[in-house]
Amino acid sequence: MTWQGWAESVATIGLTLALSYPLGLYLARIWRGESTWLDPILKPVEWVIYKICGVNPKESQGWLTYLLAFLAFHVVCFLGLYAILRLQQQLPMNPQNFAGMTPHLAFNTAISFITNTNWQSYGGESTLSNLSQMAGLTVQNFCSAAAGMAIAAVVARAFAAHRSEGLGNYWADLTRITLYLLIPASIVVALIYVGMGIPQTWAQSVEAHTLEGAKQTIAIGPVASQEAIKQLGTNGGGFFNVNSAHPFENPTPLSNLVSMVAMNVLAFACVVAFGRVVGSPKDAKALFIAMAILVSAAAAGIYVAEAQAVPAQQAAHLVGNNMEGKEVRFGAAATAVFAAMTTGASCGAVNAMHESLTPLGGAIPLFLIQLGEIIPGGVGSGLYGMIVMAVLAVFVAGLMVGRTPEYLGKKIEAREVRFAILAVVVLPFVILGFSAIASVLPLALKSVSAPGAHGFSEILYAYSSAAGNNGSAFAGLNANVDWWDATLGITMAMGRFAYIVPVMAIAGALAVKPKLAATAGTLPTDNSLFIGLLIGVILILGGLQFFPALALGPIVEHFQMLAQVR
């Protein structure tokens, strides 16, 4: 560990937080349907879209109608993407003449990208055509990100509403978020990436001659455009198999910094926008601070774990960082921050192989995913996940003082608490359930590369990543077989949609309630006491649900590693 490493970590997180504030103010205007500085250019485009689609943006929908529109949109997206992937060989823009995906891989990939997971059981540069990458995956990167932010907008409006059933129009929210935020931001980031040397071309490959005189064919394509929305939309699916460890996706420490900021900035901006829409910036600030504390602590923990010499190094009388699986152009500090920020968000982009982290270094990203990726979480999903935790926190506080809990002027009653509990049990149900089955099923165990505790960690990480809509993996697992493609696809769908349904029900219940003024008996939710309570609820809930499983995987492996030193 060095002071430069710590300074790099602080600067990265600090820059992300600073940029999120103006973006959050801008996002609040989009959520409220207010004018923006892009209106002269984009307003005509917006109205053309409404005209073609037959949408009345002023027609407000109730929570159930909004939810059904959300689900119907994703069914159509799944069918369209599945068709592109299966029929790839018959479609244009396939200069490599790649065959279509198998049914189970196309099912897994289509579910993965519509749920903002971007789990990849394939190598992008050796499997997908330019059309599949652009019209298939990149389009879904925009759609899934915008859909998550639309649900977050509904939650904000529910707290702002006073006896109202209308929560906005899904089609208008989806259009405005994509048109006014995601597309302009992606253009800016893509141009920055191109300036840093990331390819953006229709060409399929280039040929290079090595120093030994051999000829090497290097895959290229429209990388920068996919990379931009991959990070901004917390999607995480890379153009290349090794993701942001590939020099064409992430060539320099500067591009690494841009990637880390991009993958977290909109998630934090959603919290700022929430405070503005609700009319309570101080309460949103408490959520913001809790997220910042947890992601900073996670980055510090990974850095400490990875800045130690592992037993193999010690046996060779070497000192220094654990550099296995890491890129030397980034080092341990940038790898640690990247790992924390990508698993604290539902991004899944990686600039190192997480399987090569030390057992405790790998346990922290795994635990961040299992917490529901609310630190700061995916774009939109991090905010509504944190709101679920805040509802539980005020409920716990209400039990302590013996009064009906309130949050942001809304009484939190049995209905909201039941739906919050339903939301938080989704992840452990699918993660632990499928992990238990896969740990004893011979068909599943054939894909696990390592025996014992590390093999269990591979299984646990895979289902955690799928349920948390993250997409990163312990790469020793061969997931491109029927069992894993099917069960991971089901897990991804459950982690996204089975969580959103109770969140929308909470929003519907809150919207029709009166908005109450704070009284002397109201629990303050904008101070350090509430921040501590919120963090405690998140960590205790996560620990109770997942510590036994973690004890069988990375924690056991840690003690096994220490035993090798003696």
Side-chain angles (χ1 to χ4, degrees):
M1 289 179 288
T2 64
W3 71 265
Q4 292 96 332
W6 289 112
E8 184 177 355
S9 302
V10 171
T12 300
I13 296 173
L15 180 60
T16 304
L17 300 180
L19 290 175
S20 68
Y21 183 75
L23 279 171
L25 299 181
Y26 176 71
L27 178 58
R29 300 189 67 85
I30 295 174
W31 281 358
R32 290 185 295 208
E34 298 173 351
S35 61
T36 73
W37 61 276
L38 287 173
D39 276 17
I41 302 171
L42 297 179
K43 201 67 175 177
V45 179
E46 179 187 358
W47 284 104
V48 166
I49 293 173
Y50 295 150
K51 188 70 173 178
I52 293 173
C53 298
V55 171
N56 177 8
K58 299 184 183 299
E59 181 183 349
S60 190
Q61 300 168 326
W63 77 269
L64 186 56
T65 304
Y66 198 105
L67 175 63
L68 291 175
F70 170 87
L71 295 175
F73 174 74
H74 283 82
V75 169
V76 173
C77 286
F78 169 79
L79 295 175
L81 181 55
Y82 182 83
I84 290 173
L85 298 175
R86 291 283 288 127
L87 301 173
Q88 178 177 252
Q89 193 166 19
Q90 284 73 46
L91 296 174
M93 296 173 61
N94 185 9
Q96 304 95 328
N97 198 31
F98 289 141
M101 282 187 173
T102 60
H104 60 83
L105 181 56
F107 167 80
N108 179 278
T109 305
I111 291 253
S112 174
F113 277 81
I114 69 164
T115 58
N116 202 242
T117 308
N118 293 28
W119 172 277
Q120 294 173 285
S121 294
Y122 59 88
E125 68 269 44
S126 59
T127 308
L128 294 177
S129 68
N130 288 345
L131 180 71
S132 296
Q133 293 273 20
M134 297 175 69
L137 306 190
T138 303
V139 167
Q140 292 309 313
N141 284 349
F142 281 96
C143 292
S144 63
M149 297 176 83
I151 299 297
V154 166
V155 173
R157 292 175 193 137
F159 279 102
H162 178 74
R163 298 186 185 277
S164 172
E165 294 185 359
L167 290 171
N169 186 292
Y170 175 70
W171 309 110
D173 287 339
L174 191 73
T175 301
R176 286 183 58 80
I177 292 167
T178 303
L179 198 59
Y180 288 90
L181 178 65
L182 295 179
I183 289 177
S186 296
I187 290 173
V188 171
V189 174
L191 291 174
I192 292 173
Y193 279 148
V194 169
M196 293 177 176
I198 296 177
Q200 180 67 22
T201 175
W202 294 108
Q204 66 182 52
S205 63
V206 294
E207 290 187 353
H209 296 276
T210 67
L211 294 176
E212 292 82 7
K215 186 172 71 173
Q216 182 179 4
T217 301
I218 302 173
I220 54 175
V223 183
S225 56
Q226 182 170 326
E227 190 72 13
I229 188 58
K230 153 193 157 180
Q231 305 293 22
L232 285 168
T234 60
N235 295 284
F239 191 96
F240 299 99
N241 189 34
V242 294
N243 208 277
S244 290
H246 196 289
F248 282 179
E249 286 198 27
N250 194 8
T252 67
L254 184 57
S255 68
N256 194 61
L257 173 63
V258 173
S259 295
M260 287 189 286
V261 171
M263 74 171 71
N264 273 209
V265 69
L266 291 184
F268 277 110
C270 285
V271 182
V272 177
F274 175 79
R276 292 287 166 169
V277 172
V278 173
S280 186
K282 288 184 178 180
D283 291 280
K285 183 180 178 181
L287 303 180
F288 190 95
I289 292 172
M291 290 177 172
I293 290 173
L294 288 169
V295 75
S296 299
I302 299 171
Y303 185 34
V304 170
E306 297 305 307
Q308 311 294 325
V310 295
Q313 290 175 288
Q314 295 176 20
H317 305 290
L318 299 174
V319 296
N321 302 324
N322 169 35
M323 287 300 294
E324 181 187 356
K326 298 180 181 64
E327 295 297 309
V328 294
R329 64 185 185 276
F330 304 139
T335 299
V337 181
F338 201 108
M341 295 181 86
T342 195
T343 51
S346 64
C347 187
V350 295
N351 71 345
M353 298 301 103
H354 286 188
E355 187 170 30
S356 296
L357 300 176
T358 62
L360 293 185
I364 294 173
L366 175 56
F367 188 55
L368 287 176
I369 298 172
Q370 291 169 341
L371 290 177
E373 297 190 296
I374 55 177
I375 313 164
V379 286
S381 62
L383 172 63
Y384 60 70
M386 185 61 85
I387 294 300
V388 168
M389 292 298 176
V391 167
L392 294 178
V394 297
F395 172 68
V396 170
L399 292 177
M400 293 178 182
V401 299
R403 60 177 288 131
T404 302
E406 296 177 14
Y407 187 59
L408 299 176
K410 299 282 187 173
K411 283 190 178 294
I412 305 300
E413 298 173 306
R415 178 182 174 88
E416 293 79 42
V417 174
R418 284 197 295 267
F419 281 124
I421 294 296
L422 182 60
V424 298
V425 299
V426 168
L427 296 188
F429 175 76
V430 291
I431 292 171
L432 300 179
F434 275 126
S435 294
I437 296 170
S439 298
V440 297
L441 188 68
L443 179 65
L445 291 172
K446 289 180 181 179
S447 294
V448 181
S449 65
H454 190 76
F456 179 71
S457 294
E458 290 181 356
I459 294 171
L460 185 63
Y461 197 107
Y463 286 114
S464 298
S465 179
N469 300 137
N470 184 269
S472 62
F474 272 16
L477 179 72
N478 174 27
N480 188 19
V481 295
D482 291 10
W483 164 265
W484 287 99
D485 278 335
T487 58
L488 288 171
I490 294 169
T491 302
M492 287 184 277
M494 289 285 289
R496 181 73 161 182
F497 303 120
Y499 196 100
I500 282 175
V501 170
V503 166
M504 288 295 291
I506 291 172
L510 292 175
V512 298
K513 293 184 178 184
K515 192 166 178 67
L516 306 173
T519 67
T522 302
L523 172 73
T525 54
D526 59 357
N527 57 16
S528 58
L529 178 64
F530 181 74
I531 293 171
L533 175 63
L534 180 59
I535 291 174
V537 167
I538 292 169
L539 295 179
I540 292 170
L541 191 62
L544 289 174
Q545 291 172 327
F546 295 108
F547 183 79
L550 293 171
L552 295 174
I555 295 176
V556 166
E557 189 181 357
H558 174 70
F559 286 107
Q560 291 175 335
M561 182 186 73
L562 294 180
Q564 299 175 23
V565 181
R566 301 188 181 97

